[in-house]
Amino acid sequence: MPTSSPFLTPCATTTSNTLALISLKRDETIPALLHAPTPTDPSDPIANTRFGSYPHSTLLHLPWGTQVAASNVGARERKRGKKRKLAEVNNNPANASTTTAQEDETPAQEEPAFEAAASGFAHIVPPTPETWTASLPHRTQVVYTPDASYILQRIRARPGDKVIEAGAGSGSFTHAAVRCVFNGYPNSGDDEKVIRGRVYSFEYHEPRFQALQNEIKEHGLDGVVTVQHADVYAQGFSGAQDVTAIFLDLPAPWMAMSHLTRGGPTQGGPLHSDRPVCICSFSPCIEQAQRAAAKLRELGWVDVGMAAVQQRRIEVRRERIGLMEEGLRGVTAVPATVGEALGRLRELEGKTAVFNAKRKKNDKRDKGAINGHTTEMDVDARSGTVGDGAVNGHHENGEDMMSKKGLPSGSKQQRLKNNLEAAKARKLYKEGRLTHRTEPELKTHTSYLVFGMLPPEWTEEDETKAVAESLAFEKQEVQKRDKVEEVES
Amino acid sequence: MSWNNRTRIKPGDQAILKLPSGLLKPIEIKPNTIISIGKFGSFHTNSLIGRPFWRTYDILDLKDGEKHARLRVVPASDLNSETLSVDNTPQDDAPVKEDAEAAASANEKFDIVGEDGSIIMRNNRLTVDDTSRQALTMTEIEELKNAGTGSGKEVIAKIMAAHSALGEKTEFSLAKYTLRKSKKFLKRFTVLPMEVGTVAEYIMDKDSSRIMELRPESLGLVASWSNAHHAGNLDQVEGNPTQGRYMVVDDTGGLLVATLAERMGILYPPASEKEPTEQPDPDTNQDDDAMPDQVESTTDAHSGPSRPNPKDTYQAATSNTITVIHPHTQPNLSLLRYFGYILEDTSSSSHPLYSHLHNITWLQLLDPSADTVYSNPPPAVDADTLASWKPSKRGQHFRKLRRHTRTQRVADTTRAGGFDSLVVASFMQPASVLRHLVPLVKGGGQIVVYSPSIEPLTELMDYYSRERRGAYMKMMQERVATGLDVETCMDDEEEDFPVNPTLLLNPMLQTSRVVEWQVLPGRTHPLMTSRGGPEGYVFSATRVLPAIGKVNAKGNFSKKRKAEETVSESPKKLRVEHVEQTKETAATVVGADA
Ligand SMILES: C[S@@+](CC[C@H](N)C(=O)[O-])C[C@H]1O[C@@H](n2cnc3c(N)ncnc32)[C@H](O)[C@@H]1O
């Protein structure tokens, strides 16, 4: 079985020695090279996350996309201690609730199984260039999907093509590029004739080069990506051949460009001898971009242009506004309409009138008694947010100012309580107005993208030949026509 | 090598001409044909044959005795040096030349340096902008052009010489002036092969609504998030008999299908040159047994003597496939003809899409028994009767049979699910599409929906919101707890949960916009105008298998829609004991997202 990459040709389930991503929440994904215990390496690594611990054994042999419960790692440790004491008398007790059904199928486990933790869930998803870009270990600045997707389209990286990438950095672009050019693994034997896509990746920083090379191996991509440790300014792109697309993410791209010459018997450069070649140079600063553009023009690349990608992620939420929202979370508890505001103010007027009337009565009955304290109502009246009329109906006459529970029905406390109670019956997820906005973190600039194309070779010789051929073709056509005319006449 | 990799133009090729004005014009290279490009002149197709794509050509003036104008391949250095004169300012160490071709190809590029020279402010204070300074009249210029004294360049030189105020002009505005003139008078064009990007650009200029105003940057996002790629060459990947099956709903006339097909290596027909042609996957012809044996023995009008009937390979590939679900009896994928593919046409049988592009109607997918083709096979006929029939009748019989078998096969495999991704660019309500198609995507697969405007997608995001998902899970738990039939769905629930919100992970909504720049020494800035219109939005998410699998995988389908249930993912694969973990699921999943 040739190596198969989970990026390109994933198996149906998670398997040992294969990269999987543990997705905890959006923008929080943890890569894990799954490991099943073997006789030589009986360990069961545990992925510890903010949302619980996931021993690899609980992540293996699952269909991709499965939701997995976190494990109570501590509980097992304790059990393991007990089990050792119990010795081997008790054969794998079935009391432990396993987290996966598939585990039952794996050969008899000597260790007690993990228990599901009380909280914590994750989804186990297959790696894609997008999810990898979002979760990879950053060794450098990386190219993100909005840029990579646009660049790869414009440099025409397609199945079967050969691509140069320098510098490789953290390998984010590498993974996006290899997906574009992949059209099969290089196979021994039958299909030698088929031209296979390949990414030639260059990095001069030794530790980064090592790290990427390891990743490429772990990801099963070593047949389709070649990582080389080289300084492309000085050494160019040796080893690369028949290249038709180039991506440069270098501090001084113009210093590498003169190495981009065509291959073939006379020149021996990395580029395809005949086909058009597309390039993108990626630089954060405009001065770099300008120099790159100038260099490309000088070297005979045409259609030299520049672009910048601006991407926004958009957040969608429901905006609930209104007095009935008071006391609920994530809302704006102001009147939703002028009508609601009026209603509330009128109600307040009514209540105040009743209250004043009462007070007058009380004053007569018990002069001075009220002076010592302020009532709830005064507070509410002053804060101007009195009443629960919008939801609970109006209490115009103040007759039931005191609810059965003893709270003043117009009190803020009671109102909030009523609102909370009412909210239980409401379908909050579909109330309010649907709104959208740009997400708080906004990338306004990534880099300038300088594009160019090296048109197919066309020499004097080609030209002379083409002219001759064209003339010959013409003559032939004329003769044909003459013949037809002869026959017709 | 396939079609698009070929560099030399051949008779019968489709191509797109890019004119100095930036205009695109699709043509066919029919031998012995004059192609007129309006004011830019005309040329003879024969003079293109054997010459390279991607190159820019000047139409030369007729010489004595010549019937047709000759073409000259413009060297790259010429293209880049048209304004070299202005760029020898020593401010930059690298010798820099102006890109005339780029300038010519995008009209805004130089017009944006307004006549008043807003960017050039320093030296042109004294220039007088007055057409009277142009000593040649328009008629004279016309005469010059018609006199055939030059391929435009000469005309420009004369005009420049006649311009009385040229001396006053700054270097910059002089360059600009030259360029503006060259755009008008150069008889020049570039020949591009048919590619998705170029075709999209052409349609965008002509009739953008036909492709739902799909900008290249949106197309790039859609293609990337869909994870569409070539299925590779492994006969079988562990546990995965098929690789690379993509489901598509396409109201862009086939642009979406073409984009994915380009990524999958099945858009361009193999070049007719002698290079070994590549079969994208080995099992193209596997479905022989789907056809009754007799087919082989009959003489079909279209089949060659010994080759297998091409009709048997129609839509028969099982890997690296695109399945289009369409609302009419026929899908509208007319743009595919630019890439040499005509649906249901045996003349396209050598095209990779012939076997790799499948299509079925919504009816065949959701209620196949109501579809005549699916449910009514032509009556069985024994060999003797067959032999007694006239060839035309026999042909008709087999056509029917073939159509029935194919429809059934495509519908059944589609209904069995297991797709790698679902990609949608449609005017239909996204939720109604996803409700039916998400269950057919395998766990870990990608869902991508494009919309020109944001509203349909905010609605969709809302259907997958955390709050709605929480409510849905609560409802399911209650149902399980009270022993209610989880497979019945009340009408009001359908209204509250148009889709099962637990089937997608990390729904994301984004938009991307590319700003083009003019990049010239000392004059680098964003272009001052670009295309308005819809921004274009992309929804993406990952299909997951929720822990309350059995409930959630099927809960959303009402009884009256039995058809869908068979369509939805087999619940057996999901773990039943997780139903008991439901409480935790609800609590923690919501918690984790908070
Ligand atoms: C910004 S990073 C590239 C990030 C990468 N594109 C990604 O998406 O992960 C630039 C890399 O170029 C490397 N580099 C710089 N100069 C180089 C040279 N002359 N030859 C090879 N690599 C070089 C640096 O070491 C660095 O890792």
Side-chain angles (χ1 to χ4, degrees):
Chain A
M1 180 101 184
T3 42
S4 167
S5 170
F7 282 87
L8 302 169
T9 49
C11 302
T13 58
T14 55
T15 42
S16 187
N17 291 320
T18 303
L19 181 75
L21 299 180
I22 306 171
S23 174
L24 299 158
K25 55 176 276 201
R26 224 185 78 188
D27 300 328
E28 194 151 343
T29 302
I30 292 172
L33 190 66
L34 297 184
H35 174 77
T38 59
T40 47
D41 182 2
S43 68
D44 181 6
I46 294 172
N48 288 308
T49 75
R50 274 211 296 148
F51 300 100
S53 300
Y54 303 88
H56 285 194
S57 57
T58 66
L59 301 174
L60 279 163
H61 314 299
L62 300 180
W64 290 110
T66 302
Q67 193 177 23
V68 187
S71 291
N72 191 338
V73 177
R76 190 182 75 150
E77 291 307 310
R78 286 192 293 279
K79 206 185 292 166
R80 189 182 339 199
K82 251 186 241 160
K83 195 183 163 191
R84 265 191 213 117
K85 269 181 231 153
L86 281 171
E88 274 86 53
V89 184
N90 198 347
N91 257 345
N92 197 21
N95 58 358
S97 78
T98 50
T99 42
T100 67
Q102 280 77 4
E103 241 174 48
D104 299 342
E105 291 152 25
T106 55
Q109 285 187 313
E110 293 184 14
E111 292 265 29
F114 285 104
E115 273 174 31
S119 73
F121 262 98
H123 286 90
I124 184 116
V125 296
T128 64
E130 286 69 39
T131 48
W132 177 248
T133 294
S135 62
L136 57 79
H138 278 225
R139 300 181 284 266
T140 58
Q141 280 279 26
V142 307
V143 180
Y144 288 96
T145 304
D147 280 311
S149 64
Y150 183 68
I151 293 165
L152 284 161
Q153 182 173 274
R154 277 204 53 176
I155 62 174
R156 303 186 164 84
R158 295 177 190 150
D161 287 348
K162 312 263 201 263
V163 175
I164 279 180
E165 177 210 29
S170 308
S172 166
F173 190 84
T174 321
H175 285 78
V178 71
R179 175 179 60 192
C180 286
V181 300
F182 175 73
N183 66 338
Y185 302 96
N187 255 347
S188 48
D190 52 3
D191 53 4
E192 289 290 84
K193 297 160 280 169
V194 179
I195 300 158
R196 299 273 175 226
R198 180 176 285 272
V199 175
Y200 297 103
S201 200
F202 296 85
E203 172 59 60
Y204 76 172
H205 187 266
E206 165 94 42
R208 272 178 223 150
F209 156 74
Q210 284 296 351
L212 182 61
Q213 202 173 36
N214 287 344
E215 270 167 14
I216 292 298
K217 255 209 194 88
E218 285 172 3
H219 299 176
L221 294 170
D222 41 344
V224 275
V225 177
T226 326
V227 194
Q228 282 179 73
H229 181 217
D231 176 353
V232 297
Y233 300 156
Q235 293 152 263
F237 306 91
S238 64
Q241 246 183 1
D242 292 333
V243 168
T244 55
I246 300 144
F247 177 67
L248 300 182
D249 185 357
L250 294 165
W254 54 90
M255 290 179 66
M257 284 171 177
S258 50
H259 298 294
L260 293 170
T261 55
R262 287 195 181 274
T266 47
Q267 302 184 75
L271 307 186
H272 193 280
S273 59
D274 185 38
R275 284 174 55 187
V277 181
C278 297
I279 191 170
C280 173
S281 173
F282 188 82
S283 309
C285 302
I286 199 132
E287 290 78 9
Q288 293 170 300
Q290 281 174 308
R291 275 190 85 165
K295 188 72 181 181
L296 285 177
R297 288 185 178 127
E298 183 197 324
L299 293 171
W301 296 68
V302 298
D303 252 339
V304 177
M306 190 164 104
V309 179
Q310 281 168 358
Q311 184 237 16
R312 285 186 299 134
R313 295 213 311 199
I314 293 158
E315 199 173 86
V316 175
R317 51 163 87 161
R318 287 198 168 259
E319 223 164 67
R320 299 201 323 270
I321 296 173
L323 294 174
M324 85 262 225
E325 307 292 355
E326 204 185 355
L328 305 185
R329 270 198 299 156
V331 294
T332 312
V334 300
T337 60
V338 173
E340 206 177 271
L342 279 180
R344 181 51 48 93
L345 288 168
R346 292 221 163 89
E347 192 185 300
L348 188 63
E349 289 293 332
K351 281 176 183 167
T352 318
V354 170
F355 180 77
N356 286 344
K358 259 193 185 167
R359 185 155 71 172
K360 249 180 218 161
K361 248 192 255 163
N362 289 350
D363 278 357
K364 274 183 211 154
R365 212 188 306 152
D366 184 14
K367 250 195 175 132
I370 210 151
N371 293 345
H373 65 275
T374 343
T375 63
E376 292 256 16
M377 170 146 300
D378 285 328
V379 176
D380 282 349
R382 257 182 259 124
S383 70
T385 56
V386 155
D388 50 0
V391 184
N392 302 322
H394 299 262
H395 311 282
E396 292 295 323
N397 53 14
E399 223 63 59
D400 52 7
M401 286 273 289
M402 302 294 274
S403 75
K404 278 132 224 155
K405 285 163 199 150
L407 280 169
S409 74
S411 78
K412 183 167 183 179
Q413 234 178 318
Q414 178 62 37
R415 231 172 32 239
L416 299 189
K417 211 171 155 222
N418 289 346
N419 281 351
L420 277 176
E421 200 56 42
K424 278 187 197 149
R426 289 166 61 193
K427 292 173 172 174
L428 296 180
Y429 57 84
K430 54 182 254 190
E431 288 187 16
R433 175 179 288 149
L434 198 55
T435 64
H436 70 270
R437 55 175 71 180
T438 303
E439 287 194 350
E441 248 173 81
L442 180 61
K443 272 203 188 69
T444 40
H445 177 65
T446 54
S447 272
Y448 295 105
L449 281 46
V450 174
F451 291 102
M453 192 196 60
L454 198 61
E457 282 286 273
W458 192 251
T459 60
E460 289 288 322
E461 253 169 72
D462 292 328
E463 178 64 28
T464 331
K465 231 172 99 194
V467 170
E469 266 169 32
S470 176
L471 286 177
F473 189 74
E474 202 92 308
K475 213 175 261 168
Q476 204 184 317
E477 292 294 321
V478 171
Q479 278 168 359
K480 245 194 252 166
R481 205 175 322 135
D482 289 350
K483 246 187 219 146
V484 173
E485 274 161 19
E486 258 169 47
V487 172
E488 276 172 0
S489 60
Chain B
M1 182 181 290
S2 66
W3 222 34
N4 65 316
N5 292 348
R6 206 152 39 74
T7 42
R8 299 285 184 271
I9 299 165
K10 296 180 69 181
D13 274 351
Q14 304 268 340
I16 287 191
L17 299 186
K18 191 162 199 165
L19 306 183
S21 60
L23 212 76
L24 297 177
K25 184 185 159 81
I27 58 161
E28 194 190 322
I29 312 284
K30 257 194 235 134
N32 311 316
T33 315
I34 306 274
I35 292 192
S36 164
I37 48 174
K39 62 178 172 182
F40 302 114
S42 63
F43 64 91
H44 199 270
T45 47
N46 293 1
S47 50
L48 272 184
I49 292 168
R51 289 187 143 152
F53 279 112
W54 303 106
R55 281 284 185 172
T56 300
Y57 297 84
D58 273 340
I59 303 177
L60 299 181
D61 296 302
L62 276 182
K63 283 197 200 131
D64 286 344
E66 275 182 352
K67 271 229 239 55
H68 308 295
R70 293 220 269 164
L71 296 180
R72 161 183 175 260
V73 180
V74 185
S77 54
D78 273 23
L79 292 175
N80 279 336
S81 71
E82 224 110 279
T83 50
L84 182 65
S85 54
V86 282
D87 287 332
N88 52 15
T89 36
Q91 54 180 10
D92 206 303
D93 49 359
V96 181
K97 299 145 202 177
E98 197 141 314
D99 186 355
E101 201 234 21
S105 62
N107 17 356
E108 315 89 69
K109 250 174 200 167
F110 287 89
D111 293 338
I112 48 127
V113 186
E115 198 70 60
D116 61 348
S118 46
I119 299 166
I120 314 156
M121 249 138 17
R122 37 179 188 151
N123 283 332
N124 62 353
R125 209 156 29 102
L126 298 177
T127 4
V128 184
D129 299 317
D130 178 1
T131 39
S132 68
R133 299 207 142 205
Q134 174 56 266
L136 290 175
T137 63
M138 234 19 236
T139 9
E140 283 171 318
I141 295 175
E142 276 311 306
E143 273 168 19
L144 260 178
K145 277 200 292 177
N146 294 336
T149 40
S151 74
K153 265 195 170 176
E154 256 174 72
V155 184
I156 293 166
K158 284 226 168 73
I159 296 171
M160 301 287 285
H163 197 298
S164 61
L166 275 185
E168 289 170 30
K169 293 218 168 212
T170 62
E171 278 178 320
F172 284 166
S173 55
L174 186 60
K176 186 184 52 176
Y177 189 79
T178 316
L179 279 164
R180 204 174 317 114
K181 290 296 170 213
S182 42
K183 253 191 306 180
K184 262 197 200 142
F185 300 114
L186 274 185
K187 297 174 165 182
R188 181 172 275 189
F189 62 89
T190 308
V191 188
L192 303 171
M194 285 291 172
E195 292 185 303
V196 175
T198 326
V199 170
E201 192 184 334
Y202 167 65
I203 307 283
M204 194 73 146
D205 288 343
K206 219 183 75 172
D207 184 6
S208 58
S209 64
R210 198 170 150 205
I211 52 170
M212 293 182 83
E213 339 259 347
L214 206 35
R215 296 170 187 273
E217 52 268 44
S218 309
L219 211 49
L221 277 182
V222 168
S224 281
W225 284 98
S226 78
N227 197 26
H229 61 273
H230 194 287
N233 56 341
L234 302 182
D235 284 345
Q236 194 169 348
V237 179
E238 215 177 308
N240 249 3
T242 60
Q243 289 276 335
R245 294 172 65 229
Y246 302 91
M247 195 169 10
V248 174
V249 182
D250 183 347
D251 281 344
T252 65
L255 179 61
L256 185 59
V257 167
T259 302
L260 300 183
E262 190 178 60
R263 301 277 171 140
M264 297 159 66
I266 52 173
L267 180 62
Y268 303 108
S272 41
E273 287 167 350
K274 275 182 205 82
E275 276 85 2
T277 57
E278 182 194 343
Q279 269 302 329
D281 85 334
D283 35 23
T284 311
N285 283 326
Q286 245 180 22
D287 279 54
D288 290 340
D289 53 345
M291 295 303 294
D293 285 336
Q294 309 104 294
V295 176
E296 240 43 326
S297 59
T298 53
T299 43
D300 190 276
H302 294 280
S303 69
S306 63
R307 279 185 22 226
N309 189 334
K311 284 178 175 170
D312 292 342
T313 65
Y314 189 49
Q315 310 206 351
T318 55
S319 278
N320 217 26
T321 59
I322 298 176
T323 303
V324 173
I325 322 284
H326 49 97
H328 304 297
T329 45
Q330 286 297 316
N332 174 10
L333 303 171
S334 55
L335 292 184
L336 294 181
R337 79 187 155 83
Y338 287 115
F339 308 100
Y341 184 63
I342 298 163
L343 211 72
E344 217 155 345
D345 187 340
T346 33
S347 71
S348 292
S349 66
S350 64
H351 197 291
L353 286 176
Y354 189 77
S355 60
H356 290 264
L357 177 63
H358 302 178
N359 70 283
I360 65 169
T361 67
W362 282 99
L363 187 66
Q364 287 161 352
L365 176 75
L366 297 177
D367 190 5
S369 57
D371 182 80
T372 324
V373 183
Y374 181 95
S375 50
N376 295 337
V381 191
D382 60 63
D384 291 342
T385 324
L386 253 175
S388 70
W389 282 355
K390 266 192 274 169
S392 65
K393 188 174 179 187
R394 215 159 45 205
Q396 204 181 359
H397 170 76
F398 283 118
R399 241 187 322 278
K400 265 197 188 145
L401 185 63
R402 211 174 275 122
R403 195 151 161 248
H404 164 76
T405 320
R406 186 189 69 235
T407 305
Q408 220 169 36
R409 183 186 61 220
V410 172
D412 290 348
T413 50
T414 306
R415 287 158 55 80
F419 284 89
D420 289 79
S421 307
L422 163 66
V423 193
V424 181
S426 170
F427 294 106
M428 285 196 287
Q429 247 181 42
S432 77
V433 173
L434 263 55
R435 173 189 175 77
H436 297 292
L437 299 188
V438 165
L440 299 179
V441 177
K442 64 181 169 200
Q446 299 298 312
I447 315 293
V448 185
V449 186
Y450 163 82
S451 168
S453 55
I454 198 167
E455 290 79 5
L457 297 184
T458 52
E459 193 178 285
L460 191 61
M461 287 291 278
D462 185 52
Y463 292 151
Y464 287 102
S465 75
R466 195 172 64 226
E467 293 79 10
R468 204 179 288 256
R469 191 173 59 225
Y472 181 85
M473 292 202 288
K474 214 172 120 208
M475 179 183 83
M476 283 303 158
Q477 282 163 45
E478 278 160 12
R479 212 177 268 187
V480 171
T482 54
L484 243 167
D485 179 8
V486 289
E487 300 196 0
T488 354
C489 186
M490 280 31 123
D491 277 348
D492 65 317
E493 281 165 8
E494 217 173 289
E495 196 185 293
D496 288 350
F497 305 106
V499 291
N500 176 344
T502 62
L503 296 189
L504 293 191
L505 184 70
N506 301 341
M508 174 162 95
L509 182 53
Q510 61 180 320
T511 180
S512 158
R513 187 72 187 252
V514 165
V515 180
E516 299 271 357
W517 284 60
Q518 163 184 299
V519 52
L520 291 169
R523 284 166 294 158
T524 297
H525 60 75
L527 297 193
M528 301 206 177
T529 56
S530 64
R531 177 183 290 279
E535 218 51 41
Y537 297 84
V538 178
F539 168 98
S540 58
T542 303
R543 165 82 156 100
V544 288
L545 315 175
I548 39 175
K550 188 174 160 49
V551 178
N552 280 350
K554 295 186 79 181
N556 215 11
F557 296 102
S558 63
K559 265 193 180 147
K560 61 182 178 217
R561 303 195 186 203
K562 269 285 175 228
E564 289 164 40
E565 285 179 21
T566 41
V567 160
S568 75
E569 176 131 335
S570 161
K572 270 166 240 146
K573 279 192 231 151
L574 304 172
R575 289 155 299 137
V576 180
E577 72 264 41
H578 265 158
V579 175
E580 287 142 36
Q581 291 183 21
T582 304
K583 252 191 200 123
E584 281 165 15
T585 314
T588 49
V589 168
V590 172
D593 274 57

